[in-house]
Amino acid sequence: LADNSQHPGNWNAIRICQEWVTKNVNNTYLITQNRTGESKLIHPMRKKFVSKLLANAVLNTLYGFDLEYSGPVVDKYEKTDNGLKIYFSHANNMYIDGEYLEDIVGYTDEWIPSSVNAKVNGNILEIEFLVKNFKAKVVTLGAMNTLSHNLYNEHGYLAAPIYIVLD
């Protein structure tokens, strides 16, 4: 089992590929398993929580049961004057757990970072770059190997990490 404390690797690249697969291959599902208590392991030893979410995914998508199985997942985004509006699925009563959204950053094409202000408006995350006239090329949320952000849906499921390359 991969232990992030010994070898950091690049879990963000793995997550980006996983999200792409779930959007392009039928009968695949994206879940976040932060509640197992094993956030440093890419494959947790405790499988009960993960199996519940996967069962909910099948019951929801194949049999029509009204069961949530995922945290918020990006559907689309639109640019604003000095930020973005990011639209999510699986985002009923989406909320930030705490005073501010953690681990969200915008980057220029030279990888110069800008912190952001963020607020939730329904299933939309509205972000504003704190640097004036910031020319963002990439926006990330939860890009660390061990997820450290705090964006959830009403079921307490953590949002999937974000890696948006802006046009």
Side-chain angles (χ1 to χ4, degrees), residues 1 5 29 42 49 51 59-60 66 97 126-127 144 147 153 157 165:
L1 297 173
S5 65
Y29 309 99
I42 194 166
F49 180 73
S51 62
L59 290 169
N60 176 288
D66 186 19
D97 186 16
E126 299 175 351
I127 66 171
M144 305 300 288
L147 295 178
N153 66 15
Y157 299 157
V165 178

Side-chain angles (χ1 to χ4, degrees), residues 31-165:
I31 61 168
T32 52
Q33 52 82 15
N34 65 309
R35 289 189 169 182
T36 65
E38 302 167 301
S39 63
K40 293 182 180 181
L41 298 176
I42 194 166
H43 294 288
M45 300 291 286
R46 297 179 186 109
K47 306 290 189 192
K48 187 174 183 179
F49 180 73
V50 175
S51 62
K52 175 188 173 201
L53 294 181
L54 290 173
N56 284 356
V58 170
L59 290 169
N60 176 288
T61 58
L62 296 180
Y63 299 104
F65 285 77
D66 186 19
L67 297 170
E68 184 57 83
Y69 60 90
S70 176
V73 177
V74 172
D75 278 339
K76 64 180 182 174
Y77 68 88
E78 64 184 48
K79 293 181 184 179
T80 61
D81 288 340
N82 193 37
L84 289 176
K85 287 185 178 183
I86 305 172
Y87 297 80
F88 290 84
S89 58
H90 302 281
N92 287 345
N93 295 314
M94 187 167 65
Y95 67 96
I96 296 168
D97 186 16
E99 293 182 34
Y100 61 92
L101 186 57
E102 299 173 7
D103 196 17
I104 184 165
V105 183
Y107 297 95
T108 66
D109 54 359
E110 292 91 24
W111 292 101
I112 298 169
S114 173
S115 297
V116 304
N117 280 331
K119 69 177 183 176
V120 172
N121 184 4
N123 71 325
I124 303 168
L125 180 64
E126 299 175 351
I127 66 171
E128 176 186 8
F129 300 111
L130 296 180
V131 175
K132 296 252 187 225
N133 302 314
F134 189 74
K135 304 290 187 222
K137 181 68 177 172
V138 174
V139 175
T140 66
L141 171 70
M144 305 300 288
N145 283 343
T146 302
L147 295 178
S148 61
H149 71 84
N150 53 338
L151 183 64
Y152 295 88
N153 66 15
E154 68 183 346
H155 297 281
Y157 299 157
L158 186 67
I162 296 172
Y163 188 91
I164 297 173
V165 178

